Amino acid sequence: MTSSTAADPPAGGDTASRAALMTVQGVSKVFGGLTAVSDVSFTIPSRSIVSVIGPNGAGKTTFFNMLTGLYKPTVGRITFLGKDVTGTRPDLITKMGVARTFQNIRLFGTMSALENVLVGQHARMKAGIVGSILRTPGVRKEEERIRVVGREILDFVGMPASSFDQLAINLSYGDQRRVEIARALASEPKLLLLDEPTAGMNPNESDRLTQLMRRLRDERDLTILLIEHDMKVVMGVSERVTVLDHGTKIAEGDPATVRSDPAVVEAYLGKQG
Amino acid sequence: MATTDAPPLPSAAAPARNIFAELLSKYGLFAVLLALPVFYGIKDLRDQGDLSPLATNIFQGLSNGSIWALIAVGYTLVYGIIELINFAHGENFMIGSFVSAGLWGTLGLTLATGPLGLVLGLLLTLIVAMVTCGSLNVMIEKVAYRPLRSAPKLAPLITAVGFSFILQNVGLLWLGGSPAGVPDLLRAQDEVATIIGIRVQRADILAILVTIPLVIAMVTFINKSRLGKAMRATAQDPDAARLQGINVDTTISLTFLIGGMLAGAAGLIYALYQTTIWFFQGFQAGLIAFTAAVMGGIGNLKGAVLGGLIIGVIQQISDSRIGSEWTPAIVFGYLVLVMVFRPQGLIGEETREAG
Amino acid sequence: MAVASPAQSTPAPKRYSLEGGLPPVAGKVLFVALAVFAVLLPLLLDPISSLLSDCIIALAFVIMALGLNVVVGFAGLLDLGYVAFFAIGAYAVGWFASGFFVDANVYVGVSGFVLNLPGIHTNFLIVLLAAMILCAIGGILIGLPTLRLRGDYIAIVTLAFGEIIRVFAVNGDQIALPFGDANLTAGRQGITPVDQIQLPFLPQFTQLDLRPWYWLVLALVFVTLFVVIRLRDSRLGRAWIAIREDEVAAASMGVPLVKTKLYAYAVGAAIGGVSGAFQASYLNTVNADQFAFSFSIFVLAMIILGGLGSVWGVVFGAVLLSFINSYLIPDVLRTVPKSLGLEFELTDLGFGIFGFLLLIVMVLRPEGLLPEKRRQIELTEGVGTGESTFEVRA
């Protein structure tokens, strides 16, 4: 969970001057003739919170899926920490330090909150097949450690200790969102991708989530990429906003600039009413 | 913003590689399929200077394959609409053969029956076999698949295997454990003609004459009728279909009915064609026909027919050149190759459409 | 994904729990009692009774079922070609511990009169190891092509592989090997006899006293149980549940799909190989006709009946079905059809009965007789039915 970012300018400084954690260059995705994402370039500076917004069907989630390795870009290049990760397997990208949540929560339903977080630590564990059968002292210690860490993370995202052993399927919607973030944090990411994390939350809950995001950036040196629908959340928390419409980038900049951009108003805000 | 100094992209090379990969994936399978006939064609030319043995193989393979095509259509229809491998479908075909042979006995059809009696008797048999197998298929869906429609995919597949075993056992009790001969009503092996070195038997004519019109009729029916539209709607999105006033349960039942009827017809033709039937014929036929359906692109009717014909040819070449005891391994080898390298089949993109 | 949708944001009315069943202490007591009973059982039976023989076969099937349960129950990969590993394990015995290769005279770790026999004769423990390694390799080779496939396609590809291996077993007598007058499998004629088991410090096993066979297979059952339970509760076991429930989420959490699935195939196959090798030695033959598709379904029926994923359920299902097959149908109920005036042999119904069991259990009680809680919840809530196609390259 500790950051390895070399240069660490104060949060809220000039984002463009900071080292880029992830760079996306001219990425497109075509599904059987249909272009879902077209020639999008974009940079995520270290220790920032940036957002991608756009109306439904703008290609946000497709874009997200390319960053995490679920989709391979048809053209274009994605680099993370200076390494080319275009078309790299999702588990390897996670291992390098990118973690995500899903728009339509994908917890492992029959696992407890804690077990979900244990799976999140998979990439940070060493236990092999023989060690697991013999349950060597090393494996034993590792299992103890990941449970301690797992409880810490659940606590950090605000889960009550009484819910740690509750099955994911039993948890309330807000708690499921929290556990999903905890599971992502468990993989010790440098970059956290949140796909519409406030969907279905009431204003109170989404306020708390916004605070959590700030704490993650400030206390844990995380970089966060947010896909959001809720304009209030995006404008309040992001340092920079990228707007997608029909798969293309139509605007980019700080929240205030984007909000007043006529193209954005036309494509997004206008449609939202 | 930070993207202004982006280095040049490898965009020119990437699509070229993709096109190459696509060509390989699309035509690589054709190449692998052609390997067997081309190899033996060259061998024939070298050894005898004549392609007629290979041509005979191919012709007989096509006539044999038309039976697989009939069964494959049943697989593809069902998969197209509810994404389920109806594993009991091959056994349904076996029951079709058994019902047909049983009915011949009841009707008293023998080698001595005159042409008119034979035609009427076989027509009646065809109708009975189709109705029996169609209803059986509908029953299987109601008992074994419908209760599990919202369960994980493995559940209905397991009940399908269970049903297939039950039907095999019915066949075993019916005619015993070894292949049983049935009257060679059409004198299937009689040669009708030899055209450019290809020996044409009565069985081949039967298979082609019955199968092709049946398949064309079915494909046309499904493409043109209201049922066809309902099937396509159900395949794409059952809930949306329901909202449009389509009775999804009835549509699925009718799909099983049509698939079962074709299997019944295939059962009759098989009995006339091979003149031996046994309880285990459905297992192998089922796997072969399933291979055909996947090869053509599951959910695609024309693909199933094409796949059936191709598999028929491969099987015939393997039977006569390599040895029939190896044929299952060769057919299943192709099954694995297709499923792994081109799971969407020879024709058609990945689609759930039944048509 | 079935975990939740915004519409369900109110607390779910049903609360599921993995707790329940026996309290841990009672479970342990029950296990110890059963284990002691199992160890002492042969002392109560005639050393060459057919009942003892049925018990030995039942325990061999327990191993087999535990192995298949790793693949199907833990990792959720429906394998319809499991018989392949029975075959490979059995041929390990046929090749390395019999007179099959008459031109060879190789003796490894054996003593007594086999030293006078031609062929390759290897100590059973080494054969067991060879069987496990061969099967693990076979499992990986069969598993590799299925990695990117959907669940139902996996089932068919494994079935096809099982049939391909059977065809090779049946026709293997046509495949000449490059040394001596040897072929691959002896086909339907079979390799018989094979070496009787010799273990260090113990007298050679014979067919005149079945008790050592029984204790050996019981020991193998205990080892298998130990291994599968340890794996289930490990990092790998959690990864198996994760990919079974949601591959996309699992991969995104850093679980390597290929490796995790191949481990399941390899472990399951190796366990199947152990049982195959033991059964070949015990039955004193390796015959191609043993390796039919129905064998795979027989083992599958055991784990479905007992409870997919449930270790104790699988043990119970295997013992139950094995006894139905080897004792109840041929010995006890054989005369029932005749007494009802029906003209057939009940043994002919074997297939149908197991097919019927699969159908009934799956429709009425899909979680099995001794369900695993997780699976039960998955089946009732439809967990794991979510869309999961994505472009992960192997």
Side-chain angles (χ1 to χ4, degrees):
Chain A
M1 214 65 48
T2 49
S3 166
S4 58
T5 324
D8 242 2
D14 179 19
T15 52
S17 70
R18 263 186 252 163
L21 191 62
M22 184 178 257
T23 322
V24 178
Q25 295 165 356
V27 159
S28 298
K29 181 68 192 175
V30 182
F31 290 112
L34 272 171
T35 306
V37 171
S38 168
D39 194 26
V40 173
S41 296
F42 148 104
T43 309
I44 308 173
S46 272
R47 288 193 65 202
S48 61
I49 300 179
V50 296
S51 306
V52 173
I53 64 169
N56 272 332
K60 301 185 301 273
T61 297
T62 305
F63 182 63
F64 228 59
N65 283 343
M66 287 191 283
L67 301 189
T68 54
L70 290 184
Y71 293 151
K72 186 180 181 178
T74 314
V75 262
R77 206 166 77 147
I78 301 167
T79 53
F80 179 68
L81 289 172
K83 291 196 192 76
D84 190 343
V85 293
T86 321
T88 303
R89 261 165 34 207
D91 56 292
L92 295 178
I93 291 184
T94 304
K95 200 167 182 178
M96 291 175 72
V98 180
R100 71 171 291 175
T101 65
F102 295 89
Q103 185 181 344
N104 47 347
I105 305 179
R106 302 185 83 141
L107 284 174
F108 306 114
T110 72
M111 289 189 183
S112 68
L114 181 61
E115 284 172 314
N116 268 285
V117 177
L118 298 187
V119 173
Q121 298 181 65
H122 191 93
R124 304 290 163 231
M125 294 174 69
K126 292 198 180 68
I129 192 161
V130 177
S132 296
I133 294 170
L134 301 178
R135 209 171 276 171
T136 55
V139 170
R140 224 180 272 262
K141 261 187 217 135
E142 187 177 73
E143 285 287 320
E144 279 163 25
R145 178 177 60 83
I146 60 165
R147 281 182 171 72
V148 172
V149 172
R151 288 202 180 85
E152 269 173 29
I153 297 172
L154 283 171
D155 187 57
F156 181 82
V157 300
M159 286 292 289
S162 59
S163 302
F164 287 3
D165 292 322
Q166 209 41 260
L167 295 189
I169 203 168
N170 294 331
L171 295 174
S172 73
Y173 188 68
D175 279 349
Q176 292 193 4
R177 284 263 177 236
R178 259 190 282 274
V179 173
E180 224 197 7
I181 294 173
R183 185 179 65 175
L185 291 177
S187 70
E188 301 175 21
K190 298 183 181 66
L191 172 64
L192 179 64
L193 310 181
L194 302 174
D195 195 347
E196 302 206 15
T198 62
M201 283 189 173
N202 62 38
N204 192 9
E205 282 175 317
S206 61
D207 268 357
R208 272 167 50 198
L209 190 76
T210 315
Q211 283 165 21
L212 178 68
M213 283 191 261
R214 290 211 182 86
R215 277 179 63 204
L216 285 171
R217 179 192 56 192
D218 300 338
E219 294 175 22
R220 302 212 163 200
D221 288 333
L222 267 176
T223 306
I224 295 176
L225 170 64
L226 187 65
I227 288 188
E228 253 308 339
H229 228 87
D230 187 336
M231 294 302 286
K232 208 170 125 268
V233 174
V234 172
M235 296 308 171
V237 78
S238 342
E239 292 154 38
R240 211 185 54 194
V241 177
T242 302
V243 189
L244 291 186
D245 189 27
H246 297 297
T248 40
K249 185 165 87 176
I250 57 166
E252 191 168 53
D254 60 73
T257 320
V258 165
R259 201 203 304 259
S260 54
D261 190 316
V264 177
V265 175
E266 156 95 36
Y268 186 81
L269 300 173
K271 278 178 202 165
Q272 293 292 303
Chain B
M1 281 289 123
T3 52
T4 45
D5 57 347
L9 299 173
S11 54
R17 261 208 316 277
N18 285 349
I19 288 167
F20 180 72
E22 208 161 278
L23 281 178
L24 188 71
S25 126
K26 192 153 193 171
Y27 298 104
L29 187 58
F30 278 109
V32 174
L33 287 173
L34 282 175
L36 222 48
V38 167
F39 175 78
Y40 284 106
I42 293 169
K43 194 160 176 283
D44 281 356
L45 274 180
R46 222 181 44 204
D47 296 353
Q48 308 170 18
D50 182 8
L51 273 178
S52 67
L54 183 70
T56 302
N57 284 157
I58 291 176
F59 178 72
Q60 285 181 345
L62 289 176
S63 83
N64 208 351
S66 62
I67 300 178
W68 305 145
L70 275 180
I71 311 174
V73 168
Y75 272 113
T76 229
L77 277 177
V78 167
Y79 199 96
I81 195 163
I82 54 172
E83 294 206 317
L84 166 81
I85 300 170
N86 180 11
F87 201 84
H89 194 65
E91 270 61 42
N92 210 331
F93 149 78
M94 176 270 293
I95 295 289
S97 285
F98 277 41
V99 166
S100 303
L103 197 63
W104 299 348
T106 316
L107 294 174
L109 291 186
T110 60
L111 285 169
T113 313
L116 185 64
L118 199 61
V119 168
L120 289 177
L122 286 180
L123 218 54
L124 183 65
T125 316
L126 182 67
I127 292 165
V128 172
M130 286 175 79
V131 170
T132 311
C133 291
S135 335
L136 182 62
N137 218 19
V138 171
M139 193 271 285
I140 293 173
E141 193 270 328
K142 281 224 167 80
V143 174
Y145 306 149
R146 191 167 297 182
L148 297 170
R149 215 174 273 165
S150 60
K153 274 267 183 62
L154 301 191
L157 190 57
I158 288 168
T159 53
V161 172
F163 229 112
S164 132
F165 269 53
I166 295 173
L167 291 179
Q168 266 187 37
N169 219 149
V170 170
L172 180 69
L173 293 179
W174 191 337
L175 284 180
S178 42
V182 297
D184 186 5
L185 293 179
L186 295 181
R187 293 187 187 79
Q189 303 298 315
D190 281 11
E191 273 181 37
V192 179
T194 303
I195 306 163
I196 48 166
I198 301 172
R199 284 178 288 119
V200 181
Q201 296 174 345
R202 297 172 77 135
D204 303 325
I205 295 187
L206 161 86
I208 290 164
L209 275 189
V210 178
T211 308
I212 290 177
L214 213 52
V215 167
I216 291 176
M218 281 299 168
V219 173
T220 320
F221 175 69
I222 287 162
N223 284 340
K224 297 279 154 69
S225 69
R226 270 185 52 201
L227 173 65
K229 279 202 192 95
M231 283 166 70
R232 279 191 293 277
T234 308
Q236 266 163 16
D237 187 345
D239 295 325
R242 207 169 274 126
L243 288 178
Q244 287 170 27
I246 291 168
N247 188 333
V248 169
D249 283 343
T250 310
T251 309
I252 292 175
S253 286
L254 284 172
T255 309
F256 274 85
L257 181 72
I258 294 174
M261 286 168 72
L262 291 177
L268 168 66
I269 298 166
Y270 183 89
L272 288 170
Y273 189 102
Q274 299 286 352
T275 67
T276 49
I277 57 178
W278 71 312
F279 78 101
F280 209 58
Q281 78 184 47
F283 175 71
Q284 293 245 317
L287 281 177
I288 291 171
F290 180 75
T291 309
V294 176
M295 193 173 275
I298 196 136
N300 184 321
L301 289 179
K302 287 168 201 145
V305 176
L306 178 70
L309 298 176
I310 292 174
I311 286 287
V313 171
I314 289 172
Q315 193 193 12
Q316 191 64 38
I317 292 177
S318 161
D319 272 355
S320 68
R321 307 302 181 98
I322 301 170
S324 59
E325 70 274 23
W326 291 103
T327 303
I330 287 169
V331 172
F332 297 146
Y334 274 110
L335 174 64
V336 173
L337 280 179
V338 174
M339 284 193 132
V340 172
F341 292 107
R342 200 165 163 83
Q344 70 269 41
L346 284 173
I347 48 177
E349 298 298 316
E350 261 172 307
T351 167
R352 292 184 55 183
E353 272 188 25
Chain C
M1 212 25 218
V3 173
S5 60
Q8 293 174 321
S9 54
T10 47
K14 250 184 175 170
R15 289 186 88 76
Y16 294 101
S17 167
L18 298 180
E19 313 286 312
L22 293 172
V25 181
K28 268 182 193 143
V29 170
L30 187 64
F31 171 71
V32 171
L34 280 175
V36 170
F37 171 75
V39 171
L40 298 180
L41 182 69
L43 301 177
L44 309 172
L45 299 172
D46 182 356
I48 51 167
S49 64
S50 67
L51 189 57
L52 186 56
S53 178
D54 292 343
C55 291
I56 293 170
I57 293 295
L59 290 176
F61 272 113
V62 168
I63 298 174
M64 206 111 222
L66 284 171
L68 183 60
N69 187 48
V70 170
V71 185
V72 186
F74 290 174
L77 307 159
L78 182 52
D79 185 341
L80 294 181
Y82 195 60
V83 67
F85 309 117
F86 177 42
I88 296 172
Y91 279 115
V93 170
W95 292 327
F96 306 133
S98 82
F100 180 52
F101 297 117
V102 282
D103 296 333
N105 290 298
V106 179
Y107 308 91
V108 186
V110 288
S111 57
F113 79 86
V114 290
L115 292 175
N116 305 323
L117 300 175
I120 302 176
H121 300 276
T122 314
N123 188 289
F124 182 70
L125 293 177
I126 300 171
V127 174
L128 213 52
L129 194 65
M132 288 171 70
I133 293 170
L134 284 176
C135 283
I137 294 170
I140 289 171
L141 290 181
I142 291 175
L144 267 175
T146 71
L147 289 170
R148 296 199 297 174
L149 300 178
R150 292 192 297 253
D152 43 358
Y153 276 31
I154 290 178
I156 299 295
V157 169
T158 51
L159 162 56
F161 269 119
E163 283 295 295
I164 290 172
I165 288 193
R166 187 186 64 80
V167 170
F168 270 86
V170 170
N171 302 312
D173 50 352
Q174 297 175 20
I175 301 175
L177 295 182
F179 43 85
D181 181 24
N183 65 63
L184 190 63
T185 66
R188 288 206 153 96
Q189 205 183 359
I191 301 172
T192 198
V194 300
D195 291 356
Q196 303 293 282
I197 293 175
Q198 288 184 352
L199 292 181
F201 315 116
L202 293 173
Q204 177 153 11
F205 288 24
T206 70
Q207 303 289 337
L208 298 175
D209 183 357
L210 301 182
R211 287 174 304 185
W213 297 93
Y214 176 90
W215 281 313
L216 172 64
V217 72
L218 187 64
L220 291 174
V221 167
F222 284 135
V223 172
T224 311
L225 275 172
F226 179 80
V227 168
V228 297
I229 290 175
R230 279 281 169 91
L231 284 178
R232 182 194 64 188
D233 299 337
S234 72
R235 171 185 186 226
L236 188 57
R238 282 192 299 269
W240 283 334
I241 301 169
I243 59 166
R244 177 178 90 201
E245 292 194 0
D246 190 336
E247 282 195 5
V248 173
S252 300
M253 290 310 120
V255 175
L257 299 182
V258 169
K259 206 166 138 190
T260 308
K261 286 182 181 178
L262 286 184
Y263 267 139
Y265 280 118
V267 170
I271 294 174
V274 168
S275 183
F278 175 83
Q279 291 197 51
S281 302
Y282 178 66
L283 300 171
N284 203 9
T285 183
V286 184
N287 189 308
D289 282 328
Q290 294 167 309
F291 310 128
F293 173 59
S294 52
F295 183 94
S296 300
I297 299 308
F298 186 47
V299 182
L300 182 68
M302 290 171 179
I303 68 174
I304 302 272
L305 178 70
L308 218 48
S310 149
V311 169
W312 302 113
V314 165
V315 172
F316 177 66
V319 171
L320 189 67
L321 277 198
S322 180
F323 269 100
I324 288 178
N325 186 48
S326 66
Y327 179 67
L328 207 58
I329 292 175
D331 294 346
V332 179
L333 300 178
R334 192 163 54 88
T335 53
V336 171
K338 288 263 160 44
S339 64
L340 293 173
L342 297 171
E343 279 300 311
F344 63 85
E345 287 291 324
L346 196 65
T347 42
D348 286 348
L349 273 183
F351 275 56
I353 291 173
F354 297 121
F356 188 69
L357 269 175
L358 277 182
L359 180 65
I360 290 294
V361 172
M362 218 58 221
V363 172
L364 298 181
R365 197 178 159 84
E367 66 273 28
L369 295 177
L370 297 179
E372 198 233 4
K373 286 279 165 120
R374 258 187 236 285
R375 273 290 188 176
Q376 198 169 10
I377 302 168
E378 285 171 21
L379 285 162
T380 44
E381 284 289 304
V383 173
T385 51
E387 164 268 341
S388 67
T389 42
F390 61 110
E391 305 174 342
V392 188
R393 290 144 313 280

